[in-house]
């Protein structure tokens, strides 16, 4: 018998698609998601998300006048703000020589209770005063004095409508 040889036909290779396109598409989706999250994080970090607290700087003459006083002469580091809520609340903070604090308080509030050294409410407060509204004034005043050094005091002045 004659043997017939079976030949395997040679496959022709035709350039075509590979699986790299599918692989790239699968990797592209998580990469884009991560890149989008990073872009959102960067945008969140660099945007101004401050909230208006209603606190603004004002002239100290205005703040003290609301409480029926004048700014002390010789005051240092004087800063004044207004908390504009339903009722205005003025705050002033300054440094004044210890020897001049009592004289300024007495000149500003001659009919007031004067400074006291007991029942001042907070730790580290060396003297305080609470002045309710009196004739000609629309605001109550609170003073807290802290001795900063042997010569200087830090004074917190608050004038508000009760």
């Amino acid at each position: 018998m004659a043997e017939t040889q079976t030949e395997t036909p040679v496959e022709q290779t035709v350039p075509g698609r590979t699986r790299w396109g599918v692989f790239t598409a699968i990797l592209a989706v998580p990469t884009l998601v991560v890149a989008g999250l990073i872009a959102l994080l960067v945008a969140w970090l660099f945007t101004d998300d401050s909230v208006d607290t209603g606190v603004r700087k004002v002239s100290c003459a205005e703040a003290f006048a609301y409480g029926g006083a004048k700014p002390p002469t010789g005051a240092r580091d004087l800063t004044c703000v207004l908390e504009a809520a339903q009722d205005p609340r003025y705050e002033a903070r300054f440094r004044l020589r210890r020897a001049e604090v009592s004289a300024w308080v007495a000149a500003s509030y001659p009919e007031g209770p004067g400074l006291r050294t007991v029942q001042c409410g907070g730790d580290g407060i060396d003297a305080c005063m609470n002045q309710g509204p009196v004739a000609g004034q629309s605001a109550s005043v609170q003073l807290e004095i802290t001795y900063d050094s042997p010569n200087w005091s830090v004074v917190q002045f608050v004038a508000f409508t009760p």
Side-chain angles (χ1 to χ4, degrees):
M1 236 193 197
E3 260 187 54
T4 54
Q5 291 184 344
T6 54
E7 289 184 22
T8 24
V10 178
E11 289 187 29
Q12 292 182 349
T13 56
V14 179
R17 289 181 113 184
T18 62
R19 297 181 188 203
W20 283 107
V22 174
F23 181 73
T24 305
I26 290 172
L27 284 180
V29 171
T31 304
L32 290 174
V33 169
V34 170
L37 290 174
I38 290 173
L40 286 174
L41 178 67
V42 168
W44 177 69
L45 288 174
F46 289 106
T47 57
D48 182 21
D49 57 352
S50 62
V51 177
D52 183 18
T53 59
V55 177
R56 62 181 175 88
K57 288 188 173 187
V58 295
S59 74
C60 289
E62 176 183 343
F64 283 104
Y66 190 77
K70 291 183 181 177
T73 56
R76 294 193 181 179
D77 304 328
L78 184 59
T79 58
C80 300
V81 295
L82 167 64
E83 293 180 23
Q86 186 174 4
D87 294 320
R89 175 185 167 99
Y90 288 91
E91 290 189 21
R93 184 177 176 92
F94 57 94
R95 294 180 63 216
L96 189 63
R97 291 198 176 274
R98 284 176 72 171
E100 297 173 3
V101 173
S102 295
W104 173 72
V105 171
S108 296
Y109 305 103
E111 296 151 9
L115 291 175
R116 65 177 188 269
T117 57
V118 294
Q119 298 176 337
C120 287
D123 290 336
I125 299 173
D126 298 303
C128 60
M129 182 193 86
N130 293 326
Q131 171 75 35
V134 294
Q137 289 183 327
S138 62
S140 294
V141 174
Q142 292 178 342
L143 290 174
E144 293 180 348
I145 293 96
T146 306
Y147 298 139
D148 190 32
S149 68
N151 296 326
W152 292 93
S153 298
V154 175
V155 180
Q156 179 78 28
F157 172 91
V158 179
F160 60 96
T161 304

